[in-house]
Amino acid sequence: MCGVVVSHDPTAEDENKKIKVRPDKDDPFSKGSMCPKAPALGPLHYDPSKLRQPVKKVGDDWQDISWKEAYDTVEGNIKAIRSENGADSIASYLGNPIVHNLGMLLFAKTFAKSIGSKNVYSATSMDQLPHHFAGHFMFGHEMRIPVPDIDRTDYMIVMGANPMASNGSIMTSAGVSKRLRNIEKRGGKFVVIDPRVTETAKIASEHHFIKPGTDVYLLLALLHVIFRDEKTILGELEKHIDGFEKLVALVKDFTPAKIAPIIDIEESAIERLVEEFTSHEKAVLYGRMGLSTQSHGGLCHWLINTINIATGNFDTPGGMMFPSPAIELVRNKKQRDIFGRWSGRASGLKEFAGELPVSGMTDELLANGEGQVKAFVSICGNPVLSSPNGKRLDQALQKVEFMVSIDNYINETTRHADLILPTPSGLEIDHYDLIFNAISVSNNAKFSEALFSPGKGRPYDWQILKELSSRLSEKGLSLFDRFMTPRRIINLGLMLGPYGKLSSPKRWFNGLSLKKVIASKHGIDLGPLKPRIPECLITVDKKINIAPSVFLDRLAEVANEEFPQLIGESNERACKHDFQLIGRRHVSTNNSWMHQVKALSSNKHVRCTAMMNPDDARRLEIDDGELVNVISRVGEIAIPVEITDAMMTGVVSIPHGFGHTREGTKVPNAEANPGVSVNDITDHTQVDPLTGNAAFSGQSIRVEKINAEDGKGHRQ
Ligand SMILES: Nc1nc2c(c(=O)[nH]1)N[C@H]1C(S)=C(S)[C@@H](COP(=O)(O)OP(=O)(O)OC[C@H]3O[C@@H](n4cnc5c(=O)[nH]c(N)nc54)[C@H](O)[C@@H]3O)O[C@H]1N2
Ligand SMILES: Nc1nc2c(c(=O)[nH]1)N[C@H]1C(S)=C(S)[C@@H](COP(=O)(O)OP(=O)(O)OC[C@H]3O[C@@H](n4cnc5c(=O)[nH]c(N)nc54)[C@H](O)[C@@H]3O)O[C@H]1N2
Ligand SMILES: [Mo]
């Protein structure tokens, strides 16, 4: 989403000097900012370990094969397994880069559907599923996700997000550091609530530690005080809200006095947060990954929307708003039934929007019997490193009858494949950001044309997916899919969209089309976020459903079972070795797959360490840099400790995406900073029972010194 100027010097001898990437100061959205990952476009394009031809595994080795052989092999194997064991015996996993790649995004689902299996998984269910869940049940569509109007707010609370590293997630905001700092410059305030003093917390007006996994209680206490002190402002929105009266009784018990010891934030601070939040005319409460990936993920995102709505900070400048992208992703007129139409055979976890939660994926491979998964397809994903208890998946993948990956590397996951189909590099494909424009802090449109063509005989991502879909689909490709290319789809979407040529007769001459957007090289500014209620609601009665029964039922469970227990519990940890685990990202990483870029992974802050508070380290007699065993219910890893008072006591932070030490991978540069995989110890049974999302945050771990003499855990 950051505008970049890419220049190519074909005469440069050193490949690393052929491509230069600079920030585009004329881009109306990013205005000359870009993150350190952008210059990696060159090294990734020329990376010698990047695959350029399909490969098949022959013994321990890999052999180049033709595209025809690759397609025939996939078709033959998938069809054979499907006819013998049924379509559900083939599982597909769709990874994160799909949403960053136009051709993939447009056709990956078509491909997964062509197999006809209920076993479809994606990174969504270890990330933002709770946002989709709240969008679906409250506003009628899983893509109806509000974003904070960061550029106009005067008071922002950030929970479980580190935009200084992530660049703003479900809050696409190039140049986020400036945007955040501007809140204070306008005389406002931004507050971070996070178990670590993150890079974002460092530039915030205020930071509070919170005990991992307890955010739901803070949110309930905030709502309690809002109702108790009669701070509710519904205003114009009131006539568009359904069920509001049900809320007051629900939060009656969650007083700041009871909540404070559970979350480790003082009662007076909770009271003050509400006071400040409600005394600013433009305030917004924002929560992200850290709140999605916990056992209350669904409740957290429902409550965040609810608090913004209840305080007059929804669908209004400076509050939470729905973007108006140039290509509208929500095309349905009516809310569909997309939850729990089927469940995982072995995991019992429920489907949402056509996908099963990834935490149950390995169970479907391991549990024998009818419907067992026998074949595995991975597209742009590295679940061996990214999914909870990835080690168990790693083992399970050794036993599948057939596996194909669409990926550019022989890495921790794809090394199990029988064949790998590579796709063009980022410099070889056109880009229009369908998804990130739809969750952006302002409205923009930009189409970036490819610099290079992939070269003769090398298909585009969407061509690979279309070819496989047409071979595997029992009904053949739809007429639409057959005719469509990414450019045609974008052109149609732009023309039919709210700013498009075909949206109204008066726009015919100056409305958007692909041609017009391409001609505006730096991108087109379509203005700040605009109020959209009620036009954007597609719930049955076209109102915001503020108290859907799915959330009320889950809240009742929490209120009756977990809450009384927590009140009774003393806050002392069970044992001095016990900790809660959280994750972290760094601005120079990208999940599991950019460590091969030297300029990124050699940054001295890109380190796979277990961050720990000095008091905790002292108690365990651990020195900075000392290797320790971190042990969970499912496994253990040996990792160096980084002692820092940025950590809350009792909490350890370990980044994900490392662990480039497995045999048989062929990404040599990534091995320079291998680290270990935190997902070797994350427990796949820890999920949000409501949405099925993985609950990485707050899992219990033990930290033990390694006895230098025998290399084993030194258990006291
Ligand atoms: N413990 C813990 N685990 C986590 C998280 C966490 O915070 N903590 N975060 C979770 C989140 S939010 C996410 S999104 C997931 C990510 O999980 P995944 O999507 O499974 O992992 P990535 O590392 O993004 O995998 C990227 C894969 O795509 C390939 N790839 C990259 N670009 C392209 C391309 O253009 N074409 C093709 N064909 N392949 C490409 C790479 O080679 C790599 O194999 O991880 C999750 N796992
Ligand atoms: N540079 C870089 N940028 C990225 C990515 C990357 O890997 N590298 N990944 C991209 C992806 S796939 C995603 S999904 C986004 C994610 O974007 P963000 O949501 O901003 O993700 P994180 O940086 O992981 O921040 C999560 C924060 O939650 C905190 N946290 C953990 N547990 C809890 C808890 O229980 N309560 C509270 N209040 N906080 C908690 C962590 O300490 C951390 O600071 O980033 C995207 N951008
Ligand atoms: Mo993600």
Side-chain angles (χ1 to χ4, degrees), residues 127 162 165-166 193-194 198 213 215 289 585-587 589 591 697:
D127 183 351
N162 185 12
S166 65
I193 298 174
D194 196 302
T198 59
D215 301 79
M289 258 292 289
R585 288 174 157 74
H586 187 273
V587 71
T589 64
N591 295 325
S697 288

Side-chain angles (χ1 to χ4, degrees), residues 388-392 395 581 629-638 654 677-684 699-704 715:
N389 205 349
K391 202 164 71 184
R392 184 165 167 260
Q395 286 153 4
L581 178 64
N629 278 332
V630 180
I631 303 154
S632 75
R633 187 187 74 86
V634 303
E636 73 180 68
I637 50 177
I654 303 180
S677 177
V678 70
N679 286 321
D680 284 354
I681 60 166
T682 52
D683 185 342
H684 63 284
Q699 295 198 1
S700 319
I701 48 165
R702 292 166 61 76
V703 176
E704 294 185 351
R715 282 154 222 231

Side-chain angles (χ1 to χ4, degrees), residues 93-97 101 104 123 126-127 289 380-383 385-387 406-409 411 414 421-424 461 583 585 590-593 656 678-679 682 696:
Y93 171 81
L94 316 181
N96 166 279
N101 176 320
M104 281 285 177
M126 34 185 181
D127 183 351
M289 258 292 289
C380 295
N382 194 358
L385 294 192
S386 61
S387 67
I406 302 183
D407 206 288
N408 292 333
Y409 290 94
N411 63 19
T414 62
L421 318 188
T423 60
D461 318 69
R585 288 174 157 74
N590 192 25
N591 295 325
S592 77
W593 75 280
H656 71 289
V678 70
N679 286 321
T682 52
F696 294 116

Side-chain angles (χ1 to χ4, degrees), residues 73-83 90 111 115 375-377 402 404 472:
T73 311
V74 178
E75 182 184 355
N77 281 283
I78 299 260
K79 280 188 171 165
I81 293 175
R82 187 167 63 185
S83 67
I90 302 147
F111 170 53
I115 296 173
F376 192 76
V377 179
F402 178 72
V404 56
L472 292 172

Side-chain angles (χ1 to χ4, degrees), residues 35 37 96 100 126-128 158-169 193-196 198-199 210-215 286-291 293-294 581-592 653 656 696-698:
C35 86
K37 296 193 293 309
N96 166 279
H100 299 277
M126 34 185 181
D127 183 351
Q128 81 286 359
V158 175
M159 296 177 71
N162 185 12
M164 288 293 284
S166 65
N167 289 312
S169 182
I193 298 174
D194 196 302
R196 179 168 77 92
T198 59
E199 296 76 358
I210 187 165
K211 195 170 148 53
T214 65
D215 301 79
Y286 161 73
R288 217 6 227 121
M289 258 292 289
L291 264 68
T293 55
Q294 49 171 282
L581 178 64
I582 61 166
R584 71 175 186 270
R585 288 174 157 74
H586 187 273
V587 71
S588 290
T589 64
N590 192 25
N591 295 325
S592 77
S653 156
H656 71 289
F696 294 116
S697 288

Side-chain angles (χ1 to χ4, degrees), residues 96-102 104-105 429 431 433 435-436 590-591:
N96 166 279
I98 291 175
V99 291
H100 299 277
N101 176 320
L102 180 61
M104 281 285 177
L105 179 69
I429 54 174
H431 191 59
D433 225 314
I435 297 290
F436 294 88
N590 192 25
N591 295 325

Side-chain angles (χ1 to χ4, degrees), residues 216-217 219-220 223 246-252 254 296 298-300 302-303 548-564 690:
V216 70
Y217 295 104
L219 296 169
L220 288 164
L223 202 56
K246 293 186 194 160
L247 296 175
V248 180
L250 292 179
V251 297
K252 207 169 80 270
F254 299 100
H296 306 116
L299 284 182
C300 283
W302 164 59
L303 286 167
S549 56
V550 282
F551 295 114
L552 304 195
D553 294 348
R554 171 75 181 128
L555 179 58
E557 239 171 65
V558 169
N560 298 331
E561 292 161 27
E562 188 186 86
F563 184 52
L690 177 56

Side-chain angles (χ1 to χ4, degrees), residues 58-74:
V58 184
D60 286 339
D61 219 350
W62 294 88
Q63 237 174 40
D64 282 0
I65 54 170
S66 69
W67 278 97
K68 175 161 186 322
E69 184 180 344
Y71 292 140
D72 288 345
T73 311
V74 178

